Amino acid sequence: MGLDVEYGELVMPGLEIVAIPAFADNYLWLMHDQASGETAVVDPGDPAPVLAEANRRGWRITKILNTHWHPDHTGGNLAIKEATGAQIWGPAGENGRVPGLDHPLAEGDRIRVGDHEAEVWEVPGHTIGHIAYIFREDDIAFVGDTLFAMGCGRLFEGSPEQMFTSLNRLAALPEETRLYCAHEYTLGNARFAAHAFPSNQAIANRLQHVELRRSGGHSTVPTTVALERDTNPFLMAANSDEFAQLRLAKDQFR
Ligand SMILES: [Zn+2]
């Protein structure tokens, strides 16, 4: 099933973030700073829809930001660089698997899009080098496949301890922080959450809301730290063992 989301969102005066649906359920994010004219694309798995959307808006992509090496997040790197001259920033810790990486990033590094500055956090678990871009002053975070609305990424490379730490670190951001994750997985996540925590009213309410949104073809992303603290089952784990059990149960949930 493809995605049909509302395009374009003025997050605050001068800053726009646009969701570009790709593949079955990915969101590729365009971030445009009106004052400087800078446009960054986060995790461009597919170059064609990214270039088409940027052209349609008259935006020139100047920066490519990757959260991790998976091809549905980096597959468009080289074609977009070729078409626009954009430079590529991404995790230093992915053992050379990010195509065309110009600027390897590690914990504590900073990157700007116009006047907006992001801190780089290492949030291993889904992959070993996974990073997130935390625009603190804007209350925005691009979290890739680490934290999803009501869910989290699968543990392909990291340990439960690492993912548990990464998720709780993101959840400790200010509650109004908007979390831009890379997939529309919310309905499946919400069903699992309701199954795992059947007496949790906040989860039941959100499941109902998500069912309505999705049946109307609407996006459920971004989410917020406040919503995730209330309804993300993986943030309800008291420790990494409980987290590991939940993650395993989700992997097996149909
Ligand atoms: Zn991934």
Side-chain angles (χ1 to χ4, degrees):
M1 182 180 64
L3 296 170
D4 176 22
V5 302
E6 305 89 295
Y7 277 102
E9 182 188 18
L10 197 60
V11 190
M12 65 189 64
L15 182 64
E16 287 173 81
I17 297 183
V18 175
I20 301 172
F23 310 117
D25 51 33
N26 283 70
Y27 291 122
L28 324 181
W29 298 105
L30 278 181
M31 177 178 182
H32 178 72
D33 173 57
Q34 293 174 345
S36 63
E38 263 214 275
T39 303
V41 60
V42 181
D43 283 349
D46 188 359
V50 171
L51 291 169
E53 185 62 24
N55 286 340
R56 194 177 76 75
R57 291 170 177 271
W59 295 351
R60 191 172 73 83
I61 296 170
T62 49
K63 289 183 168 129
I64 297 169
L65 309 181
N66 296 132
T67 62
H68 66 296
W69 70 270
H70 285 164
D72 61 320
H73 296 252
T74 59
N77 277 14
L78 297 179
I80 294 170
K81 184 177 182 174
E82 169 91 19
T84 63
Q87 296 270 293
I88 302 172
W89 282 258
E94 300 275 48
N95 303 316
R97 289 176 294 186
V98 175
L101 184 61
D102 297 301
H103 306 281
L105 294 169
E107 177 73 33
D109 284 345
R110 290 172 185 269
I111 177 168
R112 299 180 81 85
V113 178
D115 274 345
H116 307 277
E117 187 177 66
E119 262 173 56
V120 173
W121 284 10
E122 291 175 357
V123 286
H126 179 67
T127 66
I128 207 69
H130 199 301
I131 59 173
Y133 297 89
I134 316 292
F135 289 84
R136 276 189 181 273
E137 292 193 0
D138 304 299
D139 291 320
I140 288 167
F142 293 97
V143 298
D145 287 357
T146 299
L147 189 152
F148 294 123
M150 303 186 84
C152 73
R154 282 177 186 263
L155 301 182
F156 287 119
E157 298 176 12
S159 67
E161 289 75 15
Q162 285 175 317
M163 187 57 124
F164 180 72
T165 302
S166 297
L167 289 177
N168 281 285
R169 198 176 168 200
L170 291 170
L173 283 164
E175 66 175 18
E176 61 274 20
T177 308
R178 300 157 77 85
L179 302 171
Y180 291 82
C181 49
H183 290 274
E184 178 65 59
Y185 287 159
T186 318
L187 185 54
N189 288 343
R191 287 177 177 152
F192 171 73
H195 165 81
F197 295 92
S199 57
N200 184 307
Q201 196 55 47
I203 287 176
N205 292 345
R206 194 173 179 193
L207 170 59
Q208 209 170 34
H209 177 74
V210 168
E211 282 173 340
L212 270 174
R213 295 279 305 167
R214 296 304 297 143
S215 65
H218 300 295
S219 169
T220 63
V221 176
T223 181
T224 64
V225 166
L227 265 175
E228 295 313 307
R229 284 185 197 157
D230 273 356
T231 60
N232 191 314
F234 297 102
L235 294 174
M236 292 171 190
N239 53 53
S240 62
D241 287 341
E242 272 186 37
F243 169 78
Q245 283 170 23
L246 272 169
R247 185 59 259 182
L248 192 64
K250 173 65 168 68
D251 290 345
Q252 295 163 350
F253 181 71
R254 292 287 176 273

PDB file of all heavy atoms in Angstrom, residues 42-66:
ATOM      1  N   VAL A  42      16.729  14.406   4.173  1.00  0.00           N
ATOM      2  CA  VAL A  42      17.119  13.415   5.169  1.00  0.00           C
ATOM      3  C   VAL A  42      16.736  12.027   4.658  1.00  0.00           C
ATOM      4  O   VAL A  42      15.570  11.783   4.333  1.00  0.00           O
ATOM      5  CB  VAL A  42      16.427  13.686   6.522  1.00  0.00           C
ATOM      6  CG1 VAL A  42      16.870  12.663   7.566  1.00  0.00           C
ATOM      7  CG2 VAL A  42      16.718  15.097   7.010  1.00  0.00           C
ATOM      8  N   ASP A  43      17.725  11.156   4.556  1.00  0.00           N
ATOM      9  CA  ASP A  43      17.513   9.750   4.202  1.00  0.00           C
ATOM     10  C   ASP A  43      16.822   9.536   2.854  1.00  0.00           C
ATOM     11  O   ASP A  43      15.756   8.904   2.771  1.00  0.00           O
ATOM     12  CB  ASP A  43      16.740   9.033   5.311  1.00  0.00           C
ATOM     13  CG  ASP A  43      17.621   8.696   6.504  1.00  0.00           C
ATOM     14  OD1 ASP A  43      18.856   8.823   6.390  1.00  0.00           O
ATOM     15  OD2 ASP A  43      17.069   8.300   7.547  1.00  0.00           O
ATOM     16  N   PRO A  44      17.447  10.049   1.769  1.00  0.00           N
ATOM     17  CA  PRO A  44      16.837   9.907   0.443  1.00  0.00           C
ATOM     18  C   PRO A  44      17.068   8.518  -0.164  1.00  0.00           C
ATOM     19  O   PRO A  44      17.993   8.315  -0.933  1.00  0.00           O
ATOM     20  CB  PRO A  44      17.530  10.989  -0.383  1.00  0.00           C
ATOM     21  CG  PRO A  44      18.907  11.069   0.208  1.00  0.00           C
ATOM     22  CD  PRO A  44      18.733  10.781   1.692  1.00  0.00           C
ATOM     23  N   GLY A  45      16.194   7.594   0.156  1.00  0.00           N
ATOM     24  CA  GLY A  45      16.330   6.243  -0.375  1.00  0.00           C
ATOM     25  C   GLY A  45      16.125   6.176  -1.868  1.00  0.00           C
ATOM     26  O   GLY A  45      16.718   5.342  -2.558  1.00  0.00           O
ATOM     27  N   ASP A  46      15.291   7.065  -2.392  1.00  0.00           N
ATOM     28  CA  ASP A  46      14.925   7.044  -3.813  1.00  0.00           C
ATOM     29  C   ASP A  46      15.113   8.455  -4.373  1.00  0.00           C
ATOM     30  O   ASP A  46      14.477   9.396  -3.882  1.00  0.00           O
ATOM     31  CB  ASP A  46      13.459   6.609  -3.934  1.00  0.00           C
ATOM     32  CG  ASP A  46      13.043   6.370  -5.380  1.00  0.00           C
ATOM     33  OD1 ASP A  46      13.884   6.558  -6.292  1.00  0.00           O
ATOM     34  OD2 ASP A  46      11.876   6.004  -5.602  1.00  0.00           O
ATOM     35  N   PRO A  47      15.984   8.633  -5.377  1.00  0.00           N
ATOM     36  CA  PRO A  47      16.272   9.996  -5.824  1.00  0.00           C
ATOM     37  C   PRO A  47      15.133  10.668  -6.591  1.00  0.00           C
ATOM     38  O   PRO A  47      14.945  11.886  -6.479  1.00  0.00           O
ATOM     39  CB  PRO A  47      17.495   9.811  -6.737  1.00  0.00           C
ATOM     40  CG  PRO A  47      17.432   8.396  -7.196  1.00  0.00           C
ATOM     41  CD  PRO A  47      16.799   7.622  -6.078  1.00  0.00           C
ATOM     42  N   ALA A  48      14.371   9.896  -7.372  1.00  0.00           N
ATOM     43  CA  ALA A  48      13.419  10.517  -8.303  1.00  0.00           C
ATOM     44  C   ALA A  48      12.356  11.374  -7.597  1.00  0.00           C
ATOM     45  O   ALA A  48      12.167  12.543  -7.954  1.00  0.00           O
ATOM     46  CB  ALA A  48      12.777   9.444  -9.190  1.00  0.00           C
ATOM     47  N   PRO A  49      11.651  10.848  -6.605  1.00  0.00           N
ATOM     48  CA  PRO A  49      10.626  11.688  -5.974  1.00  0.00           C
ATOM     49  C   PRO A  49      11.205  12.875  -5.214  1.00  0.00           C
ATOM     50  O   PRO A  49      10.552  13.920  -5.112  1.00  0.00           O
ATOM     51  CB  PRO A  49       9.902  10.721  -5.020  1.00  0.00           C
ATOM     52  CG  PRO A  49      10.841   9.584  -4.799  1.00  0.00           C
ATOM     53  CD  PRO A  49      11.675   9.481  -6.050  1.00  0.00           C
ATOM     54  N   VAL A  50      12.438  12.732  -4.730  1.00  0.00           N
ATOM     55  CA  VAL A  50      13.081  13.830  -4.003  1.00  0.00           C
ATOM     56  C   VAL A  50      13.393  14.970  -4.963  1.00  0.00           C
ATOM     57  O   VAL A  50      13.061  16.143  -4.705  1.00  0.00           O
ATOM     58  CB  VAL A  50      14.374  13.344  -3.312  1.00  0.00           C
ATOM     59  CG1 VAL A  50      15.159  14.512  -2.735  1.00  0.00           C
ATOM     60  CG2 VAL A  50      14.044  12.325  -2.230  1.00  0.00           C
ATOM     61  N   LEU A  51      14.013  14.623  -6.092  1.00  0.00           N
ATOM     62  CA  LEU A  51      14.379  15.663  -7.063  1.00  0.00           C
ATOM     63  C   LEU A  51      13.119  16.296  -7.658  1.00  0.00           C
ATOM     64  O   LEU A  51      13.057  17.512  -7.859  1.00  0.00           O
ATOM     65  CB  LEU A  51      15.264  15.060  -8.165  1.00  0.00           C
ATOM     66  CG  LEU A  51      16.658  14.641  -7.682  1.00  0.00           C
ATOM     67  CD1 LEU A  51      17.383  13.812  -8.737  1.00  0.00           C
ATOM     68  CD2 LEU A  51      17.498  15.861  -7.281  1.00  0.00           C
ATOM     69  N   ALA A  52      12.103  15.477  -7.893  1.00  0.00           N
ATOM     70  CA  ALA A  52      10.853  16.010  -8.466  1.00  0.00           C
ATOM     71  C   ALA A  52      10.201  17.001  -7.513  1.00  0.00           C
ATOM     72  O   ALA A  52       9.744  18.081  -7.918  1.00  0.00           O
ATOM     73  CB  ALA A  52       9.893  14.859  -8.790  1.00  0.00           C
ATOM     74  N   GLU A  53      10.157  16.654  -6.235  1.00  0.00           N
ATOM     75  CA  GLU A  53       9.504  17.532  -5.258  1.00  0.00           C
ATOM     76  C   GLU A  53      10.308  18.821  -5.052  1.00  0.00           C
ATOM     77  O   GLU A  53       9.733  19.914  -4.964  1.00  0.00           O
ATOM     78  CB  GLU A  53       9.326  16.789  -3.931  1.00  0.00           C
ATOM     79  CG  GLU A  53       8.549  17.545  -2.871  1.00  0.00           C
ATOM     80  CD  GLU A  53       7.107  17.863  -3.282  1.00  0.00           C
ATOM     81  OE1 GLU A  53       6.543  17.162  -4.141  1.00  0.00           O
ATOM     82  OE2 GLU A  53       6.545  18.837  -2.727  1.00  0.00           O
ATOM     83  N   ALA A  54      11.621  18.701  -4.991  1.00  0.00           N
ATOM     84  CA  ALA A  54      12.462  19.899  -4.833  1.00  0.00           C
ATOM     85  C   ALA A  54      12.300  20.809  -6.053  1.00  0.00           C
ATOM     86  O   ALA A  54      12.133  22.029  -5.911  1.00  0.00           O
ATOM     87  CB  ALA A  54      13.919  19.500  -4.632  1.00  0.00           C
ATOM     88  N   ASN A  55      12.294  20.230  -7.247  1.00  0.00           N
ATOM     89  CA  ASN A  55      12.120  21.036  -8.465  1.00  0.00           C
ATOM     90  C   ASN A  55      10.772  21.721  -8.490  1.00  0.00           C
ATOM     91  O   ASN A  55      10.655  22.897  -8.844  1.00  0.00           O
ATOM     92  CB  ASN A  55      12.260  20.154  -9.723  1.00  0.00           C
ATOM     93  CG  ASN A  55      13.711  19.770  -9.976  1.00  0.00           C
ATOM     94  OD1 ASN A  55      14.627  20.428  -9.472  1.00  0.00           O
ATOM     95  ND2 ASN A  55      13.915  18.704 -10.729  1.00  0.00           N
ATOM     96  N   ARG A  56       9.739  20.980  -8.105  1.00  0.00           N
ATOM     97  CA  ARG A  56       8.383  21.523  -8.111  1.00  0.00           C
ATOM     98  C   ARG A  56       8.287  22.758  -7.210  1.00  0.00           C
ATOM     99  O   ARG A  56       7.557  23.699  -7.498  1.00  0.00           O
ATOM    100  CB  ARG A  56       7.414  20.434  -7.633  1.00  0.00           C
ATOM    101  CG  ARG A  56       5.955  20.704  -7.887  1.00  0.00           C
ATOM    102  CD  ARG A  56       5.108  19.519  -7.442  1.00  0.00           C
ATOM    103  NE  ARG A  56       4.961  19.438  -6.005  1.00  0.00           N
ATOM    104  CZ  ARG A  56       4.189  20.225  -5.274  1.00  0.00           C
ATOM    105  NH1 ARG A  56       3.487  21.188  -5.844  1.00  0.00           N
ATOM    106  NH2 ARG A  56       4.107  20.058  -3.970  1.00  0.00           N
ATOM    107  N   ARG A  57       9.051  22.744  -6.134  1.00  0.00           N
ATOM    108  CA  ARG A  57       9.019  23.849  -5.185  1.00  0.00           C
ATOM    109  C   ARG A  57      10.060  24.917  -5.480  1.00  0.00           C
ATOM    110  O   ARG A  57      10.122  25.932  -4.785  1.00  0.00           O
ATOM    111  CB  ARG A  57       9.259  23.310  -3.756  1.00  0.00           C
ATOM    112  CG  ARG A  57       8.103  22.486  -3.262  1.00  0.00           C
ATOM    113  CD  ARG A  57       8.415  21.764  -1.970  1.00  0.00           C
ATOM    114  NE  ARG A  57       7.241  21.049  -1.517  1.00  0.00           N
ATOM    115  CZ  ARG A  57       6.303  21.561  -0.718  1.00  0.00           C
ATOM    116  NH1 ARG A  57       6.420  22.788  -0.262  1.00  0.00           N
ATOM    117  NH2 ARG A  57       5.251  20.856  -0.396  1.00  0.00           N
ATOM    118  N   GLY A  58      10.914  24.657  -6.482  1.00  0.00           N
ATOM    119  CA  GLY A  58      11.973  25.615  -6.788  1.00  0.00           C
ATOM    120  C   GLY A  58      13.068  25.641  -5.733  1.00  0.00           C
ATOM    121  O   GLY A  58      13.725  26.655  -5.540  1.00  0.00           O
ATOM    122  N   TRP A  59      13.268  24.519  -5.049  1.00  0.00           N
ATOM    123  CA  TRP A  59      14.295  24.418  -4.016  1.00  0.00           C
ATOM    124  C   TRP A  59      15.516  23.682  -4.577  1.00  0.00           C
ATOM    125  O   TRP A  59      15.359  22.698  -5.290  1.00  0.00           O
ATOM    126  CB  TRP A  59      13.788  23.617  -2.801  1.00  0.00           C
ATOM    127  CG  TRP A  59      12.669  24.246  -2.045  1.00  0.00           C
ATOM    128  CD1 TRP A  59      12.171  25.509  -2.203  1.00  0.00           C
ATOM    129  CD2 TRP A  59      11.888  23.623  -1.007  1.00  0.00           C
ATOM    130  NE1 TRP A  59      11.133  25.720  -1.326  1.00  0.00           N
ATOM    131  CE2 TRP A  59      10.937  24.583  -0.573  1.00  0.00           C
ATOM    132  CE3 TRP A  59      11.911  22.375  -0.406  1.00  0.00           C
ATOM    133  CZ2 TRP A  59      10.004  24.316   0.432  1.00  0.00           C
ATOM    134  CZ3 TRP A  59      10.991  22.106   0.589  1.00  0.00           C
ATOM    135  CH2 TRP A  59      10.045  23.072   1.014  1.00  0.00           C
ATOM    136  N   ARG A  60      16.707  24.149  -4.217  1.00  0.00           N
ATOM    137  CA  ARG A  60      17.926  23.443  -4.599  1.00  0.00           C
ATOM    138  C   ARG A  60      18.466  22.704  -3.379  1.00  0.00           C
ATOM    139  O   ARG A  60      18.703  23.323  -2.333  1.00  0.00           O
ATOM    140  CB  ARG A  60      18.989  24.425  -5.114  1.00  0.00           C
ATOM    141  CG  ARG A  60      20.168  23.712  -5.775  1.00  0.00           C
ATOM    142  CD  ARG A  60      21.096  24.712  -6.447  1.00  0.00           C
ATOM    143  NE  ARG A  60      21.873  25.482  -5.483  1.00  0.00           N
ATOM    144  CZ  ARG A  60      23.014  25.054  -4.922  1.00  0.00           C
ATOM    145  NH1 ARG A  60      23.494  23.853  -5.237  1.00  0.00           N
ATOM    146  NH2 ARG A  60      23.667  25.810  -4.061  1.00  0.00           N
ATOM    147  N   ILE A  61      18.630  21.416  -3.510  1.00  0.00           N
ATOM    148  CA  ILE A  61      19.124  20.606  -2.384  1.00  0.00           C
ATOM    149  C   ILE A  61      20.613  20.860  -2.195  1.00  0.00           C
ATOM    150  O   ILE A  61      21.398  20.699  -3.133  1.00  0.00           O
ATOM    151  CB  ILE A  61      18.846  19.112  -2.624  1.00  0.00           C
ATOM    152  CG1 ILE A  61      17.332  18.872  -2.667  1.00  0.00           C
ATOM    153  CG2 ILE A  61      19.505  18.244  -1.547  1.00  0.00           C
ATOM    154  CD1 ILE A  61      16.932  17.492  -3.135  1.00  0.00           C
ATOM    155  N   THR A  62      20.979  21.298  -0.983  1.00  0.00           N
ATOM    156  CA  THR A  62      22.374  21.614  -0.704  1.00  0.00           C
ATOM    157  C   THR A  62      23.028  20.585   0.220  1.00  0.00           C
ATOM    158  O   THR A  62      24.237  20.462   0.251  1.00  0.00           O
ATOM    159  CB  THR A  62      22.492  23.005  -0.035  1.00  0.00           C
ATOM    160  OG1 THR A  62      21.564  23.075   1.055  1.00  0.00           O
ATOM    161  CG2 THR A  62      22.156  24.101  -1.035  1.00  0.00           C
ATOM    162  N   LYS A  63      22.199  19.864   0.984  1.00  0.00           N
ATOM    163  CA  LYS A  63      22.761  18.906   1.929  1.00  0.00           C
ATOM    164  C   LYS A  63      21.958  17.613   1.936  1.00  0.00           C
ATOM    165  O   LYS A  63      20.729  17.645   1.912  1.00  0.00           O
ATOM    166  CB  LYS A  63      22.783  19.483   3.353  1.00  0.00           C
ATOM    167  CG  LYS A  63      23.813  20.583   3.519  1.00  0.00           C
ATOM    168  CD  LYS A  63      23.898  21.111   4.931  1.00  0.00           C
ATOM    169  CE  LYS A  63      25.142  21.974   5.080  1.00  0.00           C
ATOM    170  NZ  LYS A  63      24.899  23.284   5.666  1.00  0.00           N
ATOM    171  N   ILE A  64      22.677  16.517   1.991  1.00  0.00           N
ATOM    172  CA  ILE A  64      22.072  15.197   2.159  1.00  0.00           C
ATOM    173  C   ILE A  64      22.495  14.698   3.538  1.00  0.00           C
ATOM    174  O   ILE A  64      23.694  14.663   3.845  1.00  0.00           O
ATOM    175  CB  ILE A  64      22.558  14.223   1.064  1.00  0.00           C
ATOM    176  CG1 ILE A  64      22.118  14.716  -0.320  1.00  0.00           C
ATOM    177  CG2 ILE A  64      22.061  12.799   1.338  1.00  0.00           C
ATOM    178  CD1 ILE A  64      22.781  13.974  -1.480  1.00  0.00           C
ATOM    179  N   LEU A  65      21.500  14.373   4.364  1.00  0.00           N
ATOM    180  CA  LEU A  65      21.792  13.888   5.726  1.00  0.00           C
ATOM    181  C   LEU A  65      21.292  12.455   5.846  1.00  0.00           C
ATOM    182  O   LEU A  65      20.112  12.191   5.621  1.00  0.00           O
ATOM    183  CB  LEU A  65      21.076  14.752   6.776  1.00  0.00           C
ATOM    184  CG  LEU A  65      21.249  16.275   6.685  1.00  0.00           C
ATOM    185  CD1 LEU A  65      20.494  16.962   7.834  1.00  0.00           C
ATOM    186  CD2 LEU A  65      22.712  16.661   6.724  1.00  0.00           C
ATOM    187  N   ASN A  66      22.160  11.550   6.197  1.00  0.00           N
ATOM    188  CA  ASN A  66      21.782  10.148   6.396  1.00  0.00           C
ATOM    189  C   ASN A  66      21.813   9.797   7.876  1.00  0.00           C
ATOM    190  O   ASN A  66      22.704  10.234   8.598  1.00  0.00           O
ATOM    191  CB  ASN A  66      22.742   9.198   5.673  1.00  0.00           C
ATOM    192  CG  ASN A  66      22.731   9.345   4.164  1.00  0.00           C
ATOM    193  OD1 ASN A  66      23.781   9.433   3.538  1.00  0.00           O
ATOM    194  ND2 ASN A  66      21.557   9.370   3.571  1.00  0.00           N
TER     195      ASN A  66
END
